[in-house]
Amino acid sequence: MSWFKEERKISYLRSFCNNVIKAGPMPQHVAIIMDGNRRFAKKVNCERSKGHEKGFEKLTEVLEWCFDLGIPEVTVYAFSIENFKRSKDEVDGLMELAKQKFDRLMEEKEMIQKHGVCVRALGDLTLLPEDLQRSVARVVKFSQNNRKAILNVCLAYTSRHEISNAVKSVAEGVELGFLKPSDVSESLLERCLYTSPSPHPDILIRTSGEVRFSDFLLWQCSYSSLSFLKVLWPEFSVWDFYGAIISFQWNYKTFMDSTENNRRKQLEADLEWDLRCVLDQMGEESSSITNGNSHISNARQTCEQNGAATNEISHANGYHASPGRICNITELLTKPCIQQRLHAYRESKNSRIDKFLAHLDSKKKQYLENLCPS
């Protein structure tokens, strides 16, 4: 079955509903746990492989709905690392189905370009059979520069594996000298997740009636609208989809307030941490010894000339800082010497982070190139 339909006919009722829904705030990113294929197969008394095939057909249909509604990004949970525990026959069948579908995508290159779809595979792809890795790599490389729409397919994925991989990447960055220990933060870890640089999902939909995340996008869905639906994935209808979007719109202000509040707190935490690091540097400079004689550093003299009390920098110690918060951040930020040092520190830190992220991106590109040479 094709991923794309050249001619799509929409009923007047569907068209009317689309226009009504698009009058409200629309999600920019929808995540889906496509659950219920095996139960559907049992329900209609067919092979499990047929249930998974029906599940794929439903995915192509849902992608059409998202296209019609102008939703630019979709992330689907296609295969969990935990799924490797299923029977060998079922796992082999799923791997073969995935390979067929990615190969089919490459047969529809013109449609990928026409719709501007970027296909990304998220997960530990090294756990997949090598022939499937190559099929995935071809599609990812071919579509990587498209920007109109993004389809994230999570393969050999769990959120815990994703987060632990991000931590390992950051630790490697420190070990290789790309980063300083003080550069490590929540925002940096987030930029090392598989989903980066995508925005977090606005809506998470799970079918089959199960009310759990199953280790899917745990970090990213903290502030998403959740829809747990009592319908098997192959039976998921456009009316179910509309309901999930309407629920998001109904609670839109609450979601946006929570998201903005979280973003503000993260920015404040990053600012406070950077300020601690600057004060730490100034404290170390103020106690430096040159030619065996203790002296006050130029940084400390400058700070005093600009009105900053010396005790504000004497006890801060950067990465190993005490857990207490800096109570006079606003006052400190009015000091010209603090402003200059903070600006210089952040420029240096951002430069290190950019080089580190470029290193990670280079590793990903090299992995794809090894699988699928140009």
Side-chain angles (χ1 to χ4, degrees):
M1 179 180 178
S2 172
W3 284 80
F4 304 94
K5 292 183 180 178
E6 188 65 46
E7 296 182 5
R8 295 176 296 107
K9 296 181 180 180
I10 302 176
S11 68
Y12 289 115
L13 178 59
R14 277 273 311 282
S15 180
F16 172 77
C17 290
N18 284 350
N19 290 331
V20 170
I21 287 176
K22 285 193 285 187
M26 290 299 296
Q28 297 302 296
H29 185 183
V30 173
I32 306 173
I33 301 176
M34 306 179 293
D35 193 17
N37 292 339
R38 295 195 298 175
R39 274 170 277 183
F40 173 79
K42 185 177 181 180
K43 179 180 176 180
V44 300
N45 195 28
C46 69
E47 295 292 328
R48 286 180 176 177
S49 59
K50 295 294 183 181
H52 293 305
E53 182 68 38
K54 288 292 183 182
F56 170 74
E57 292 176 10
K58 181 55 62 176
L59 171 59
T60 62
E61 194 175 354
V62 171
L63 294 178
E64 278 186 43
W65 303 341
C66 291
F67 180 81
D68 292 337
L69 289 166
I71 298 171
E73 186 160 6
V74 177
T75 299
V76 296
Y77 204 2
F79 192 84
S80 165
I81 291 175
E82 296 297 315
N83 291 151
F84 282 113
K85 297 176 182 178
R86 295 181 179 179
S87 69
K88 184 179 184 303
D89 286 345
E90 183 175 1
V91 172
D92 289 346
L94 286 168
M95 295 297 102
E96 180 59 30
L97 177 64
K99 183 180 182 305
Q100 290 175 9
K101 299 313 176 186
F102 276 97
D103 288 344
R104 177 67 180 178
L105 261 177
M106 283 306 293
E107 294 172 7
E108 300 181 302
K109 288 194 257 186
E110 295 80 7
M111 297 299 289
I112 291 177
Q113 295 302 93
K114 177 181 177 180
H115 293 286
V117 179
C118 173
V119 180
R120 300 198 302 164
L122 312 182
D124 188 350
L125 303 185
T126 60
L127 299 176
L128 301 173
E130 192 169 332
D131 59 345
L132 175 54
Q133 290 184 51
R134 285 194 293 269
S135 295
V136 170
R138 283 194 290 269
V139 174
V140 171
K141 280 189 65 178
F142 177 77
S143 66
Q144 62 188 346
N145 295 321
N146 293 337
R147 291 292 179 269
K148 289 183 182 178
I150 299 173
L151 172 62
N152 301 310
V153 182
C154 293
L155 290 164
Y157 173 94
T158 65
S159 192
R160 284 174 295 179
H161 192 87
E162 176 184 35
I163 294 170
S164 64
N165 180 73
V167 172
K168 289 176 185 176
S169 296
V170 171
E172 180 187 358
V174 173
E175 185 179 352
L176 294 176
F178 286 103
L179 301 170
K180 292 182 178 181
S182 57
D183 296 335
V184 180
S185 65
E186 179 183 329
S187 57
L188 175 59
L189 279 174
E190 185 168 307
R191 295 175 73 180
C192 295
L193 297 175
Y194 294 137
T195 52
S196 179
S198 293
H200 292 180
D202 298 300
I203 299 175
L204 171 66
I205 297 171
R206 177 168 188 156
T207 56
S208 84
E210 298 290 342
V211 185
R212 50 193 170 90
F213 284 89
S214 293
D215 216 349
F216 180 58
L217 301 183
L218 299 180
W219 182 302
Q220 297 88 337
C221 287
S222 298
Y223 297 94
S224 302
S225 172
L226 307 178
S227 291
F228 298 103
L229 305 176
K230 293 182 179 180
V231 58
L232 302 177
W233 173 245
E235 298 175 325
F236 182 65
S237 73
V238 71
W239 309 109
D240 297 315
F241 192 48
Y242 286 157
I245 296 174
I246 291 170
S247 176
F248 163 76
Q249 294 176 332
W250 185 263
N251 298 286
Y252 180 75
K253 186 177 186 305
T254 301
F255 292 131
M256 290 303 101
D257 288 346
S258 298
T259 301
E260 179 59 29
N261 186 50
N262 177 65
R263 189 186 70 84
R264 179 179 55 79
K265 287 182 178 179
Q266 186 169 322
L267 290 174
E268 289 175 354
D270 287 345
L271 174 61
E272 181 175 347
W273 181 252
D274 290 345
L275 183 57
R276 279 185 181 277
C277 293
V278 168
L279 295 178
D280 174 50
Q281 290 176 352
M282 298 174 75
E284 290 174 354
E285 291 171 5
S286 70
S287 60
S288 62
I289 298 177
T290 303
N291 296 324
N293 298 314
S294 177
H295 72 96
I296 299 177
S297 69
N298 290 335
R300 187 180 178 112
Q301 292 175 15
T302 302
C303 194
E304 289 178 334
Q305 290 168 6
N306 284 279
T310 57
N311 61 3
E312 289 170 344
I313 64 174
S314 59
H315 299 295
N317 54 4
Y319 183 64
H320 301 289
S322 61
R325 298 196 63 185
I326 301 175
C327 299
N328 55 341
I329 292 179
T330 303
E331 181 183 349
L332 282 173
L333 292 176
T334 64
K335 313 294 184 182
C337 74
I338 299 290
Q339 293 175 359
Q340 293 169 8
R341 292 296 292 265
L342 182 61
H343 178 71
Y345 173 80
R346 289 193 136 183
E347 279 198 335
S348 176
K349 173 184 174 180
N350 289 335
S351 176
R352 290 192 297 272
I353 290 175
D354 288 343
K355 289 178 182 178
F356 166 64
L357 294 176
H359 166 70
L360 292 186
D361 189 54
S362 176
K363 287 177 64 177
K364 293 175 185 175
K365 288 180 178 178
Q366 188 59 52
Y367 166 74
L368 295 175
E369 185 63 28
N370 290 340
L371 285 170
C372 183
S374 300

